[in-house]
Amino acid sequence: MASPATGEVVIIGSGLIGQSWAMLFASGGFKVKLYDIEPQQVTNALEKIRKEMKFLEQSGSLKGSLSAEEQGSLISGCLTMQAAAEGAMHIQECVPENLELKKKIFAQLDQIIDDKVVLSSSTSCLLPSNLFAGLVHAKQCIVAHPVNPPYYVPLVELVPHPETAPATVDRTYALMRKIGQSPVRVMKEIDGFALNRLQYAVISEAWRLVEEGIVSPSDLDLVMSDGLGMRYAFIGPLETMHLNAEGMLSYCDKYSEGMRRVLKTFGPIPDFSGATVEKVNQAMCVKVPDDPGHLAARRQWRDECLLRLAKLKRQMQSQ
Ligand code: NAI
């Protein structure tokens, strides 16, 4: 067996995201300790992780160079946060999205950690300065926001707060690269970080187009899945501009007037309620009925698509 990578990683909260992080760190050869307020949750998580790793190995999609068994043996459970944090080089918090709960966890960790470990939160939308203000080890704190499902979608947004040391960002960046994720540096904290700001811009115009009866809900989704999304899986909106003309300068020269004209017609922020929510919900339920069975099956199909897309992206990069 290849020797484990240096240092131990601790996962606080072994739900959906905690389990994914554990698998990713083990794929990079790191020893991982899982802690949860519910000990049974850790037992269940370890079982699920080992099953999932076997499945991924059989389907040729297991990340890293170690076997499923070797990766599985790198992950263990821990009964107390104190025991988990001892000797750790990176702690990834994955408890539910609740500011008071997360602040409590970081305050507890602040009392038991040394000045070398990085304290990282998986929060989707809490501002780092709200999470870390006043901590003795504030310089070592950062948000590392993954995208669901993190095993197949590699982006991680690294969001510092004003007191985060540059070395904390650099170390977390290097660690994310080491486990095969794709980190981006958000230079300054901002509500929604970068990913959700882009996502909400898209959702809001999608909603307005449906609300105003310009396109049906199912056609709206096709505009993305069979249109914009095809290239966005490979190149972003800025590179799209660059390639859609003779470079960026040419694109702005040709299209900026049209873009500005269209952008001026964008409406106010939708309130996501009333008749439009009924209409969108009805259309979505025709496609995927909203009972747990149908939703789970569709999510499984989505993850299978993402897994194959991830493989394709790897092949395309190595050409
Ligand atoms: P989850 O509800 O699946 O898991 C949370 C886990 O934390 C549970 O196992 C729970 O028992 C445990 N927990 C609760 N209180 C605790 C405590 N005091 N100490 C230790 N463990 C405790 O939640 P999920 O979906 O894994 O989300 C975790 C974090 O990741 C949240 O901040 C969320 O915003 C973020 N996130 C979630 C994404 C998603 O799509 N689910 C995507 C990206 C980030």
Side-chain angles (χ1 to χ4, degrees), residues 13 15-17 36-37 41 94-97 102 105 122 124 146 148:
L16 187 72
I17 293 300
D36 200 287
I37 193 86
Q41 177 63 22
C94 310
V95 304
E97 191 76 343
K102 286 187 192 277
I105 301 268
S122 304
S124 314
N148 195 34

Side-chain angles (χ1 to χ4, degrees), residues 189-250:
E189 64 177 9
I190 184 167
D191 213 3
F193 311 150
L195 183 137
N196 274 327
R197 292 182 78 86
L198 281 181
Q199 175 165 240
Y200 296 160
V202 170
I203 287 176
S204 124
E205 184 54 13
W207 202 267
R208 286 187 292 256
L209 288 171
V210 169
E211 194 151 61
E212 288 164 23
I214 313 284
V215 280
S216 69
S218 55
D219 277 356
L220 186 290
D221 272 355
L222 274 183
V223 171
M224 184 57 80
S225 61
D226 281 0
L228 286 176
M230 296 288 287
R231 56 190 182 214
Y232 281 178
F234 296 89
I235 57 170
L238 300 179
E239 193 179 343
T240 297
M241 292 165 79
H242 196 55
L243 299 186
N244 278 2
E246 295 313 307
M248 181 60 85
L249 299 180
S250 142

Side-chain angles (χ1 to χ4, degrees), residues 163-175:
E163 284 176 83
T164 305
T168 301
V169 184
D170 292 346
R171 253 184 67 183
T172 314
Y173 188 93
L175 180 64

Side-chain angles (χ1 to χ4, degrees), residues 2 30 38 93 102 109 134 153 159 161 167 194 220 227 241 243 252 269 284 289 316 318:
F30 289 93
E38 298 282 347
E93 168 277 310
K102 286 187 192 277
L109 287 168
V153 185
V159 193
H161 64 109
L220 186 290
M241 292 165 79
L243 299 186
C252 289
I269 299 169
M284 292 303 110
M316 298 305 286
S318 60

